[in-house]
Amino acid sequence: MRRILLAEQDGWASGLGWGRARGCALPAAAVLGCLQPAIDPVFLTLLSRATPLPAADHGWVVGMTQSASALAAMMVWWLGPRMPMRAVLALALGAMVAGLLTPLAQGLAGLLALRGIYGLGMGAIYARAMGGFAAARPTGAYAIVLLVQLMLATLVSLALPDMAARIGAGRALGILALVPLAAAMALACAREGGAARLAPLGQSATPRAGWALALANFWFICATMMVWSLCGALAVQAGHSEGLIGRAVAIGSLAGAATAIAVMRERLRVPLPVTACLVGAALLAPLVLTRPGAGTGFVLAMVLLNIGSTAIIIRCSGLASALGLDPRFRVFVAATHNLGMSAGPALGSGLVWVMPNGGLLLGAGLAVLAGVGAAVIGWRGLRHCAHWPMSRPVFARSGHQKGLD
């Protein structure tokens, strides 16, 4: 049945930022909006030095930050044009204030409240910016954002430990409050043109394969964050130094950046089920290779973790966004990032508390299996999707979207 794409500039378009971004404002806002998860191992290590936060509570801090980010992203998706730009900017400024106060927190409750405020601002910025930037070439957009995020995370991960050694851990963490301020400025400077809206006639704008791929994206991110949020604690327990942790995160980020370049094209070169299985093994590597006295193994594990998570996030996010012609669904795909990043750390910490010896491996393994299963379902539906020919890029768009039969 014919679907008609109507381009129009209205409150929905300008409010949610659909269409083509002028300049680099939208990708810059998206990169800054998702920077925190990439630097969490170093951030949490320094946070434990600046505050009385024990390593065992790292997962709760990450979980609170990402839960608030997920809530804000779902608000952007649900409210749509009813959520004005000034509300997003206000949340971003609140995140800046929370970032400044974070090193001063002395109790876990106060620290969680501050990280929750921080997460609200960053989640709203990321969902709003990414939803608009992914409209033209979804896979390329996610690859560019993750590429720049990993490069920036490399610089930050290398600089923070040295900065903390010179000016103190608290002051070094306080400087990170500039991130939400810069993200808010970038989002405010973004100027979007007309947006493409889908007017479906009798059918949903998004096939079931798109929803399955979005679900796979959620589960893989959940597994990634289960492991990622506790990498710092595992390394500390294994006797690795803060410098080694920072270098491992930086090297892993470089490997992830190279992966983003490799999978940037819209065309699929490796079947998605094969990618999903390889990624599943890579995500579990830190739980196997982090051992006392084995610094090289920890570095290798971080490299594998970054390669796997980058590849599957770009691929699943790009495919799901390409299949979802409805702009609102593209925001939902971006929101799965925040949802996975909130569920993963909380589940990981809960499993470690219930099963100290094997809970994290069990939970991450089950999340990987769920992600592989959803990816296989999405792949089978993708092969039969009318507007995804196997011989062409996933969803070819040049300049503007065209009507589809």
Side-chain angles (χ1 to χ4, degrees):
M1 181 173 290
R2 181 175 298 276
R3 295 185 177 102
I4 305 172
L5 287 170
L6 302 174
E8 61 182 33
Q9 186 171 1
D10 56 6
W12 167 263
S14 60
L16 278 179
W18 309 126
R20 183 183 301 171
R22 297 178 182 175
C24 300
L26 278 182
V31 167
L32 294 172
C34 65
L35 176 64
Q36 182 64 40
I39 62 173
D40 265 337
V42 175
F43 169 82
L44 292 170
T45 302
L46 295 180
L47 186 62
S48 288
R49 191 200 299 178
T51 66
L53 178 71
D57 289 336
H58 284 182
W60 297 114
V61 173
V62 177
M64 173 58 74
T65 306
Q66 298 307 325
S67 295
S69 297
L71 175 61
M74 295 302 289
M75 287 170 55
V76 173
W77 170 65
W78 185 258
L79 295 178
R82 292 174 290 173
M83 188 173 187
M85 174 68 77
R86 60 180 178 272
V88 178
L89 296 179
L91 289 174
L93 293 178
M96 181 190 69
V97 175
L100 288 172
L101 296 177
T102 292
L104 303 178
Q106 295 300 314
L108 180 61
L111 180 60
L112 292 180
L114 289 173
R115 300 315 293 173
I117 296 172
Y118 186 91
L120 286 174
M122 304 314 286
I125 287 174
Y126 178 71
R128 189 146 190 168
M130 197 67 234
F133 186 47
R137 294 183 65 84
T139 301
Y142 278 101
I144 289 171
V145 167
L146 286 182
L147 171 62
V148 179
Q149 180 226 34
L150 289 169
M151 294 174 63
L152 183 59
T154 301
L155 298 176
V156 174
S157 298
L158 289 173
L160 271 182
D162 291 338
M163 190 179 300
R166 295 183 180 184
I167 64 175
R171 291 181 179 178
L173 293 177
I175 294 176
L176 293 178
L178 296 175
V179 173
L181 177 61
M185 293 175 62
L187 189 61
C189 292
R191 296 291 185 270
E192 292 85 17
R197 287 178 59 185
L198 179 66
L201 299 178
Q203 292 186 5
S204 172
T206 303
R208 282 180 290 183
W211 292 100
L213 290 168
L215 183 62
N217 198 44
F218 165 78
W219 281 116
F220 278 117
I221 294 174
C222 188
T224 299
M225 293 305 296
M226 279 187 194
V227 179
W228 183 256
S229 64
L230 294 174
C231 276
L234 291 175
V236 170
Q237 291 174 2
H240 300 315
S241 66
E242 295 175 359
L244 176 64
I245 296 173
R247 289 192 296 272
V249 172
I251 295 172
S253 297
L254 290 176
T259 305
I261 296 174
V263 300
M264 188 175 291
R265 294 182 178 182
E266 304 290 325
R267 186 188 301 272
L268 280 159
R269 295 185 179 274
V270 180
L272 186 61
V274 176
T275 301
C277 292
L278 293 175
V279 165
L283 297 184
L284 301 178
L287 304 182
V288 179
L289 298 179
T290 304
R291 293 288 182 267
T296 303
F298 177 69
V299 174
L300 176 61
M302 298 303 288
V303 169
L304 292 175
L305 177 65
N306 276 272
I307 290 175
S309 61
T310 302
I312 201 65
I313 290 172
I314 292 173
R315 188 54 70 198
C316 287
S317 299
L319 290 174
S321 297
L323 292 176
L325 303 181
D326 181 6
R328 204 165 186 176
F329 180 74
R330 291 196 297 271
V331 173
F332 177 77
V333 174
T336 61
H337 293 204
N338 300 106
L339 290 170
M341 287 188 289
S342 65
L347 288 174
S349 293
L351 288 169
V352 168
W353 182 70
V354 175
M355 301 173 59
N357 294 325
L360 184 59
L361 180 61
L362 175 62
L366 290 177
V368 164
L369 289 177
V372 171
V376 170
I377 294 173
W379 173 255
R380 294 183 62 182
L382 191 70
R383 292 167 61 88
H384 298 90
C385 189
H387 61 279
W388 187 75
M390 290 289 291
S391 60
R392 297 206 304 267
V394 175
F395 194 74
R397 304 178 189 181
S398 57
H400 62 277
Q401 292 177 320
K402 301 179 181 179
L404 298 172
D405 288 329

